[in-house]
Every structure is written in C-alpha cells, then in structure tokens.
Amino acid sequence: MRDIVDMKAADLLARLRRLANKNGWDMTERKGKGSHIVVRLNGKPTVVSNHRGDIATGTFRKILKDLGLTETDLEV
C-alpha cells in the first residue's frame, strides 16, 4: 500500500465515505468556496481542498485532527 499521506482529495473522500458506512456514522459533504469541500463526520466539520495534486502533509494531518481520526483509521 502506498504512503497514506500521498493522497488526492477524491481518494480521501472515498476513504472517509467507506469508514462512515462501515461504522454507521453520519457523513455529509457540501461545496465550499472555490475548490473546497466541507465535510462533516459525526458532527465534526473540516474542509478538504479539492485540487489536482496530492493533499499537503500538514493539511492532511489537520483534516484528520479535525475529524478525530488517525491515519490507521483510513486503512479501510
């Protein structure tokens, strides 16, 4: 498996959806400003930048922190 930090926004959103479905969590997505998507997972909000390249490492870790997740949680 490739390094989980090297991930595009679409991959992250797909993993979050699978995690939510697996655990029966509520997850909503809505369009934010520009190339951003507002994600709410079990009432915890965060913003995912939907750009062409990989999500920056610091941004990726901030998204996980906002949602109360770890990198291993996304290995679904």
Side-chain angles (χ1 to χ4, degrees), residues 2-53:
R2 69 181 186 174
D3 187 12
I4 199 160
V5 176
D6 295 333
M7 168 179 315
K8 301 201 181 317
D11 296 335
L12 174 61
L13 292 171
R15 287 177 187 239
L16 289 174
R17 284 186 211 106
R18 281 195 302 266
L19 182 65
N21 286 336
K22 177 182 172 187
N23 294 310
W25 295 343
D26 180 44
M27 179 177 164
T28 59
E29 302 171 47
R30 70 173 176 81
K31 180 98 170 91
K33 283 188 170 188
S35 298
H36 294 81
I37 299 169
V38 178
V39 175
R40 186 174 294 271
L41 183 66
N42 272 347
K44 296 178 182 178
T46 195
V47 176
V48 176
S49 57
N50 192 17
H51 299 287
R52 182 177 291 182

